[in-house]
């Protein structure tokens, strides 16, 4: 089993929004903002080859589906579909992917499912041979978003996924297309029904942290995002999540950290969490099955 960190389109978003109620004096020590208070964010995906015989992509990033005006509004840096370029650099095409696992359907995690924007053309789904795995509870949220997070969803995407005939909705149990090779747990603090996927391995696997822990700074328990629906719940979920992963030596894979793809967990004498053994990128990184 080999792992790649696959970059999708990147963003620059307001640092205050990304760090919730943490003051700038605190968070700018971790990520330096620009003159507009923006910070760099990756939209990183995890590609796994030979995961129980399958090629699996965890998330697809933001993609290039936005029209130019919206691309600027949401801080998308590149015009081209970077995910497809990154897959090609690793030796894969989107047609080679057997399963796409989606932690949730916010556009910065699922937009890469769609072809790049073209004037006058409707949204078009890529990955013609993949099954699409999403949490059942979050699927219901995507069908009927709350006004507070309606803008985070792509209105056309649920119907496109249904029309593909390859959608799998899971409720924490194994997904039919992945079996016991991927363990799921559900988090509700960022968005109801967010699906956290752990690749199981005897010596300690890898978990895709999604927006429960977008990057290294958010490993600190009190740090949440302004985009989180239920910050206090998220902190409780994060505490239990980190205790479990530290005890079982499960590494963390970060989607939005522009400088780190994978890290092991650490905890100091005061009980504060941090990271060690950090990897900026993964290229055919071996994980014993």
């Amino acid at each position: 089993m080999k792992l790649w960190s696959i970059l999708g389109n990147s963003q620059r978003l307001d640092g205050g929004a990304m760090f919730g109620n943490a003051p700038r004096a605190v968070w700018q020590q971790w990520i330096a903002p620009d003159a507009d208070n923006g910070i760099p964010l990756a939209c990183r995906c995890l590609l796994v080859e030979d995961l129980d015989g399958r090629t699996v992509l965890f998330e697809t990033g933001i993609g290039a589906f936005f029209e130019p005006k919206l691309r600027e509004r949401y801080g998308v840096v590149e015009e081209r579909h970077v995910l497809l370029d990154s897959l090609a650099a690793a030796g894969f095409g989107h047609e080679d992917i057997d399963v796409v696992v989606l932690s949730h359907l916010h556009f910065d995690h699922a937009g890469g499912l769609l072809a790049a924007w073209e004037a006058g053309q409707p949204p078009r789904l890529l990955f013609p041979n993949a099954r699409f795995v999403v949490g059942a509870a979050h699927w219901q949220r995507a069908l009927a978003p709350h006004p507070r997070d309606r803008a985070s969803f792509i209105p056309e995407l649920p119907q496109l996924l249904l029309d593909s005939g390859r959608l799998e909705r899971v409720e924490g149990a194994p997904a039919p297309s992945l079996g016991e090779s991927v363990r799921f747990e559900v988090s509700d603090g960022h968005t109801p029904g967010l699906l956290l996927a752990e690749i199981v391995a005897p010596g300690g696997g890898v978990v895709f942290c999604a927006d429960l822990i977008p990057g290294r700074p958010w490993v600190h328990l009190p740090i949440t995002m302004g985009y989180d629906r239920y910050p206090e719940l998220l902190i409780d979920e994060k505490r239990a999540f980190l205790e479990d992963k530290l005890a079982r030596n499960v590494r963390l894979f970060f989607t939005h950290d522009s400088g780190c793809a994978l890290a092991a967990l650490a905890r100091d004498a005061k009980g504060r969490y941090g990271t060690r053994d950090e990897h900026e990128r993964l290229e055919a990184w071996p994980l014993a099955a």
Side-chain angles (χ1 to χ4, degrees):
M1 186 160 45
K2 296 178 181 178
L3 281 59
W4 282 262
S5 56
I6 301 293
L7 289 176
N9 290 65
S10 58
Q11 289 181 281
R12 293 195 75 88
L13 290 181
D14 183 82
M18 287 301 297
F19 285 101
N21 65 345
R24 175 170 166 154
V26 172
W27 61 256
Q28 69 180 1
Q29 300 176 58
W30 299 317
I31 306 178
D34 61 22
D36 297 320
N37 213 45
I39 61 172
L41 297 170
C43 288
R44 184 185 291 106
C45 314
L46 174 61
L47 176 69
V48 185
E49 184 183 29
D50 197 20
L51 178 57
D52 203 16
R54 298 173 177 85
T55 301
V56 180
L57 183 66
F58 292 83
E59 298 206 343
T60 62
I62 199 168
F65 74 96
F66 276 133
E67 62 178 279
K69 183 169 68 174
L70 290 177
R71 184 174 67 239
E72 181 178 355
R73 177 184 300 174
Y74 290 110
V76 183
V77 176
E78 308 89 355
E79 295 183 14
R80 72 189 191 283
H81 202 317
V82 175
L83 173 67
L84 301 184
D85 295 343
S86 299
L87 284 171
F92 299 86
H94 69 98
E95 304 90 347
D96 300 321
I97 306 302
D98 298 312
V99 184
V100 176
V101 179
L102 300 158
S103 68
H104 60 305
L105 294 176
H106 289 173
F107 61 70
D108 56 325
H109 296 259
L113 290 172
L114 301 174
W117 177 83
E118 294 181 58
Q121 297 299 313
R124 177 171 60 87
L125 196 63
L126 300 174
F127 302 93
N129 301 309
R131 299 193 68 78
F132 304 106
V133 175
V134 66
H138 184 72
W139 175 258
Q140 295 303 316
R141 178 74 165 201
L143 294 179
H146 188 275
R148 190 175 186 274
D149 66 351
R150 182 175 293 121
S152 296
F153 293 93
I154 304 169
E156 302 88 351
L157 185 56
Q159 192 60 51
L160 288 171
L161 292 172
L162 282 173
D163 291 346
S164 76
R166 292 175 276 121
L167 177 66
E168 292 182 13
R169 285 156 283 189
V170 299
E171 299 187 47
S177 60
L178 294 171
E180 301 294 333
S181 57
V182 176
R183 175 186 295 134
F184 292 108
E185 56 188 297
V186 174
S187 166
D188 295 313
H190 175 67
T191 185
L194 183 141
L195 204 60
L196 298 161
E198 179 188 331
I199 302 165
V200 178
V206 171
V207 63
F208 195 102
C209 295
D211 278 345
L212 178 68
I213 307 174
R216 288 166 293 177
W218 293 270
V219 168
H220 301 290
L221 285 177
I223 302 300
T224 62
M225 296 188 288
Y227 302 109
D228 296 329
R229 299 289 78 82
Y230 308 106
E232 291 184 4
L233 173 61
L234 185 140
I235 290 170
D236 293 340
E237 292 176 334
K238 183 163 52 170
R239 179 186 288 108
F241 179 88
L242 291 174
E243 287 177 356
D244 173 64
K245 303 307 174 282
L246 182 64
R248 296 192 293 110
N249 192 35
V250 176
R251 298 172 184 86
L252 309 183
F253 188 91
F254 301 123
T255 185
H256 288 314
D257 193 317
S258 63
C260 180
L262 183 80
L265 262 174
R267 186 164 52 189
D268 67 17
K270 295 183 178 180
R272 295 173 299 197
Y273 287 100
T275 56
R276 59 177 179 82
D277 191 21
E278 298 174 353
H279 298 259
E280 183 178 356
R281 64 180 62 87
L282 305 178
E283 296 180 2
W285 190 76
L287 181 66

